[in-house]
Amino acid sequence: MRVNALLPLSGLIGTALAACPFADPSALGRRAEGGEVDARERLKEVEVDDNGQFMTTDFGGNVGEQFSLKAGGRGSTLLEDFIFRQKLQHFDHERIPERVVHARGAGAHGIFTSYGDWSNITAASFLGAEGKQTPVFVRFSTVAGFRGSADTARDVHGFATRFYTDEGNFDIVGNNIPVFFIQDAIRFPDLIHSVKPSPDNEIPQAATAHDSAWDFFSSQPSTLHTLFWAMSGNGIPRSFRHMDGFGVHTFRLVTEDGKSKLVKWHWKTKQGKAALVWEEAQVLAGKNADFHRQDLWDAIESGNAPSWELAVQLVDEEKAQAYGFDLLDATKFLPEEFAPLQVLGEMTLNRNPTNYFAETEQISFQPGHIVRGVDFTEDPLLQGRLYSYLDTQLNRHKGPNFEQLPINRPVSGVHNNHRDGQGQAWIHKNIHHYTPSYLNKGYPAQANQTVGRGFFTTPGRTASGLLNRELSATFDDYYTQPRLFFNSLTPVEQQFVINAIRFETSHVTNEQVKKNVLEQLNKVSNDVAKRVAVVLGLEAPQPDPTYYHNNVTRGVSIFNQTLPTIATFRVGVLSTTKGDSLDKAKALKEQLEKDGLKVTVVAEFLAQGVDQTYSAADATGFDAVVVAEGAERVFSGKGAMSPLFPAGRPSQILTDGYRWGKPVAAVGSAKEALKSVGVEEKGAGVYAGAQDEVVKGVEEGLKVFKFLERFSVDGDDDEE
Ligand code: HEM
């Protein structure tokens, strides 16, 4: 254990650790049966179980509290009623300020397992042995929306991971997009002010389709690259489980003997990347604002624990500027062609929180929570973040002791001379709480690189010259990488980006802002500028080819891949209570569920074998839509007009499913339903035939997830 390096003092320190309930890692990252670390076990001792208990006040006496104490049955409530006062007072203070950004989120506990002993690249202990397990907590989020906003708003998504390592907490506070809008932290309040709702009427919620956002974007071209990513499927993922994560900044990894390399962190989803289409995301925002948090919760509850691999790109220190951009510039990513991904381990999220507020809301991630073996770089965005998170958390938690909250406590123990403050939870025994101190025999003792496995700054890190208030000229190019990103998408994905920019900018009312946007887009691509200009009713600028190139990279396209697993995807089986269609639907459901799919049988009303009514169902609820044999009767003629559902609802579900790129299918005679809504039976992602064929087809189709052939691209509708 880490105190062994302090051999002469080890006996004494052993005593100190034993006195601290959170000092013993083995007690806190406890191993469940089977030898695996149990992700939430360490929080068990602060869990409250009310079963079999009397209700008490906050100070512990048993009480009943159905009614307040009054001066006579119909009289005023008495000030004396301490039970009433305490209950109301606690309620009145339930809220803490929501996060100033990333307010909307969902989290889960899990386990990280190192694939190997990576001491050749880092002294970080959690990466120091093959099979070593470390508890983690991850919080996914959107950025701009308030805490109650919809999950499927188009946005960058937060992907913050806390590793409770045996040498302190390590947070990778990252996003699902590898780049950021700005290069210097001093611009962050401006960025956020421009995207948040307008200060006069607080409209619009969780959206950037408005003047101030695009005013800022078009005046600050460093935003272009991240904008392109956000306007693609990365801005509207199918679920948190279907997105990658990135540390965004360049960090350092440092070995035991002080050798360092620059590093980019990556989380690679093992579920595959998948995205919604925009119209579907908009409908979902109204139909189910909790779509993403529900998906994560349900996947974990049903035993489909999602997992990600932790990978790094490593670069020699002297190569920080070797690739035509600066690795300290957070608006650039490091294409895999320059530095391959090296996979270090795997994270599985296998436990939902017990209490949203105590865990997900109170967890306080900081890019400054790093451990021995990891170090910062001089990235000016990262440097600013190191101040901002601690500062904002002091505001949210009203004091400096938030690191003592159960979800924030490190499993490795805390020993220092920080004292007192609001909500102090520890009872410190050391009365000589200062250093140096002879009277306390030098404890807590000071560790360093060689003694006590202390944190150390990368040896040889140097300051970069004279102090100045400017941005390095190596950060100047804003256009090459957005173009690289755009070039690397499929034509339909490119169209999605263009459509998203069209959607957003067509909400902009100021003519000059629109022209500014076109000017910036034109530096990335004249083609993009022209295609957006058409919709805005404006002239596109002449080509501005300074940054034009035809390079492409891999790994940035979402739709151009086959998913490794389709477990937990939702299939809607459209049926009818008339005839024997429900029996057919049941057989179909059984066959699909054998393969891990979640099937919802839809019919006119709830009956045996019906999971949802047509009036409650719509295509956003399903990743694929199948019409069960016999159900063709609710798609046309009199059957389509029923008082039991809004007119034409079954056809609408099938049509939307098709329009939103989902696999659609019909069993046997139900192929008439396809015909009635004008879906070509032999089209890509359309399956018709016997049940076995349909099941096989739908399962193959779900791996493709979105059939992009169905979406038109500019030029498709040109006159012959
Ligand atoms: C100068 C730039 C930035 C500043 C000043 C900043 C500031 C903040 C603040 C104040 C919070 C709220 C924290 C809390 O209340 O606990 C936050 C949350 C967050 N930020 Fe940043 N941020 C910046 C850039 C970034 C970047 C580049 C990323 C991605 C790499 C990022 C990812 C996140 C995430 C994931 C959260 C949510 C953490 C959670 O789930 O609790 N931020 N940021």
Side-chain angles (χ1 to χ4, degrees):
M1 204 168 123
R2 65 189 186 141
V3 289
N4 285 350
L6 271 175
L7 273 181
L9 308 175
S10 60
L12 290 159
I13 290 195
T15 318
L17 284 176
C20 166
F22 286 89
D24 177 4
S26 63
L28 289 155
R30 277 193 199 109
R31 296 197 176 249
E33 277 178 37
E36 306 231 310
V37 169
D38 184 326
R40 220 183 43 216
E41 190 65 25
R42 63 187 192 82
L43 295 180
K44 281 268 157 55
E45 47 196 279
V46 289
E47 283 180 1
V48 178
D49 184 353
D50 293 332
N51 277 326
Q53 302 294 330
F54 281 112
M55 181 176 285
T56 71
T57 60
D58 282 346
F59 52 97
N62 293 353
V63 293
E65 46 97 291
Q66 286 304 305
F67 302 105
S68 54
L69 188 69
K70 300 179 195 71
R74 300 178 60 245
S76 306
T77 301
L78 297 177
L79 190 61
E80 176 191 314
D81 189 351
F82 64 100
I83 301 171
F84 164 81
R85 272 190 289 110
Q86 191 178 65
K87 183 172 179 181
L88 267 281
Q89 183 182 58
H90 203 281
F91 170 76
D92 292 342
H93 294 258
E94 276 181 5
R95 295 284 90 81
I96 59 172
E98 66 175 35
R99 290 171 177 83
V100 61
V101 283
H102 293 264
R104 172 81 182 165
H109 294 270
I111 292 297
F112 174 79
T113 309
S114 178
Y115 283 163
D117 169 2
W118 304 111
S119 54
N120 58 328
I121 53 173
T122 175
S125 76
F126 77 105
L127 291 169
E130 184 180 341
K132 181 161 182 174
Q133 295 194 320
T134 300
V136 296
F137 188 89
V138 172
R139 182 174 178 273
F140 301 105
S141 51
T142 50
V143 179
F146 293 176
R147 204 184 134 186
S149 58
D151 282 348
T152 56
R154 183 184 289 284
D155 206 343
V156 173
H157 288 62
F159 190 136
T161 309
R162 154 89 41 91
F163 297 81
Y164 298 90
T165 89
D166 52 10
E167 294 191 339
N169 289 348
F170 172 47
D171 295 350
I172 300 181
V173 196
N175 283 336
N176 76 326
I177 288 178
V179 286
F180 201 66
F181 295 99
I182 48 169
Q183 298 162 310
D184 188 326
I186 202 164
R187 278 271 84 79
F188 190 74
D190 302 297
L191 165 72
I192 299 305
H193 287 172
S194 82
V195 299
K196 285 264 187 185
S198 177
D200 50 4
N201 52 18
E202 215 173 56
I203 297 173
Q205 180 56 240
T208 47
H210 53 84
D211 281 50
S212 60
W214 285 84
D215 178 23
F216 181 77
F217 297 151
S218 58
S219 314
Q220 174 79 30
S222 67
T223 59
L224 270 173
H225 190 192
T226 306
L227 259 187
F228 270 58
W229 281 79
M231 294 297 127
S232 74
N234 292 282
I236 41 173
R238 156 65 173 75
S239 77
F240 296 137
R241 297 182 293 141
H242 292 93
M243 53 189 213
D244 286 343
F246 303 90
V248 178
H249 310 280
T250 304
F251 288 83
R252 283 189 164 88
L253 285 183
V254 198
T255 60
E256 206 65 64
D257 55 2
K259 296 210 173 60
S260 68
K261 280 199 193 280
L262 302 174
V263 63
K264 290 273 192 189
W265 295 109
H266 295 253
W267 286 115
K268 285 286 177 199
T269 169
K270 290 187 80 174
Q271 291 66 243
K273 280 195 291 180
L276 303 170
V277 295
W278 180 225
E279 193 183 352
E280 189 184 15
Q282 285 177 291
V283 173
L284 265 173
K287 291 272 185 185
N288 183 5
D290 305 309
F291 184 64
H292 283 158
R293 65 167 61 172
Q294 180 95 53
D295 173 276
L296 180 66
W297 181 277
D298 290 350
I300 293 173
E301 288 301 302
S302 65
N304 291 286
S307 52
W308 285 260
E309 284 191 317
L310 179 69
V312 287
Q313 286 177 294
L314 292 172
V315 173
D316 292 339
E317 288 268 355
E318 59 278 8
K319 289 203 171 155
Q321 295 184 52
Y323 305 112
F325 58 89
D326 196 329
L327 275 171
L328 297 186
D329 173 358
T331 66
K332 310 295 189 305
F333 69 103
L334 180 58
E336 286 178 39
E337 290 80 2
F338 295 138
L341 294 183
Q342 183 177 340
V343 181
L344 303 185
E346 183 182 26
M347 167 174 81
T348 302
L349 297 182
N350 54 9
R351 288 271 191 123
N352 280 313
T354 304
N355 184 286
Y356 182 92
F357 183 86
E359 299 168 66
T360 312
E361 191 61 12
Q362 291 203 123
I363 192 163
S364 307
F365 294 98
Q366 292 182 21
H369 286 156
I370 58 168
V371 287
R372 186 173 199 276
V374 182
D375 201 358
F376 308 117
T377 60
E378 295 68 30
D379 172 344
L381 191 69
L382 172 61
Q383 294 278 324
R385 292 179 76 197
L386 298 180
Y387 163 72
S388 182
Y389 290 69
L390 173 60
D391 183 47
T392 195
Q393 284 157 12
L394 286 170
N395 178 49
R396 289 188 80 218
H397 298 295
K398 303 285 169 253
N401 289 323
F402 60 86
E403 300 279 25
Q404 298 178 6
L405 292 166
I407 193 68
N408 288 330
R409 286 174 193 173
V411 298
S412 50
V414 177
H415 296 276
N416 55 38
N417 295 325
H418 306 171
R419 287 295 185 273
D420 307 347
Q422 164 121 336
Q424 177 60 249
W426 301 130
I427 300 178
H428 292 104
K429 290 163 68 177
N430 176 11
I431 58 169
H432 303 292
H433 50 180
Y434 49 84
T435 301
S437 161
Y438 162 79
L439 291 174
N440 206 40
K441 305 183 182 61
Y443 293 122
Q446 316 252 347
N448 63 29
Q449 187 174 349
T450 50
V451 176
R453 292 188 59 81
F455 178 82
F456 58 98
T457 293
T458 308
R461 259 183 79 180
T462 48
S464 53
L466 288 178
L467 298 187
N468 54 27
R469 206 173 264 283
E470 61 183 34
L471 207 55
S472 164
T474 54
F475 283 35
D476 271 357
D477 169 7
Y478 305 125
Y479 308 103
T480 303
Q481 285 213 346
R483 190 175 171 99
L484 179 67
F485 173 73
F486 191 76
N487 287 350
S488 310
L489 302 178
T490 63
V492 177
E493 281 184 287
Q494 292 181 337
Q495 187 69 47
F496 286 166
V497 171
I498 299 222
N499 290 352
I501 300 176
R502 285 170 170 171
F503 174 88
E504 301 245 335
T505 52
S506 64
H507 285 75
V508 171
T509 55
N510 185 288
E511 286 303 299
Q512 191 55 46
V513 170
K514 288 188 238 182
K515 286 183 186 152
N516 293 349
V517 172
L518 292 178
E519 205 171 295
Q520 293 299 336
L521 294 176
N522 192 44
K523 293 188 192 200
V524 178
S525 154
N526 184 247
D527 173 53
V528 173
K530 279 206 287 224
R531 289 160 74 181
V532 173
V534 169
V535 168
L536 299 183
L538 293 170
E539 279 292 307
Q542 289 303 308
D544 183 352
T546 319
Y547 297 94
Y548 293 176
H549 64 83
N550 294 321
N551 300 338
V552 292
T553 184
R554 60 174 182 270
V556 302
S557 171
I558 289 195
F559 295 110
N560 201 14
Q561 61 165 336
T562 307
L563 294 174
T565 167
I566 55 169
T568 75
F569 276 152
R570 308 148 311 152
V571 180
V573 171
L574 308 187
S575 185
T576 173
T577 49
K578 301 207 174 72
D580 63 353
S581 180
L582 279 181
D583 293 335
K584 310 267 181 185
K586 184 170 174 232
L588 187 59
K589 175 171 173 158
E590 279 169 6
Q591 196 173 344
L592 289 163
E593 287 196 334
K594 269 199 205 112
D595 297 324
L597 294 163
K598 310 263 177 214
V599 179
T600 304
V601 175
V602 188
E604 295 88 335
F605 51 82
L606 295 178
Q608 185 74 22
V610 180
D611 304 306
Q612 198 176 33
T613 63
Y614 274 115
S615 17
D618 68 89
T620 61
F622 314 121
D623 297 297
V625 178
V626 187
V627 188
E629 188 148 26
E632 59 276 10
R633 70 171 69 194
V634 291
F635 283 79
S636 58
K638 265 180 82 181
M641 305 296 288
S642 161
L644 290 166
F645 51 77
R649 174 61 60 85
S651 302
Q652 186 71 43
I653 297 174
L654 188 56
T655 310
D656 285 345
Y658 181 80
R659 285 195 311 121
W660 297 341
K662 301 168 196 253
V664 296
V667 182
S669 58
K671 70 178 183 190
E672 288 306 313
L674 295 176
K675 208 181 282 173
S676 73
V677 297
V679 168
E680 173 56 52
E681 205 185 297
K682 298 216 161 23
V686 183
Y687 310 96
Q691 179 173 312
D692 282 351
E693 272 173 84
V694 163
V695 167
K696 192 160 162 278
V698 166
E699 292 182 355
E700 284 304 308
L702 279 170
K703 287 193 180 152
V704 176
F705 196 63
K706 293 284 183 206
F707 286 87
L708 298 192
E709 299 85 341
R710 297 182 202 155
F711 297 85
S712 50
V713 174
D714 288 343
D716 282 358
D717 58 350
D718 283 353
E719 303 285 324
E720 296 286 303

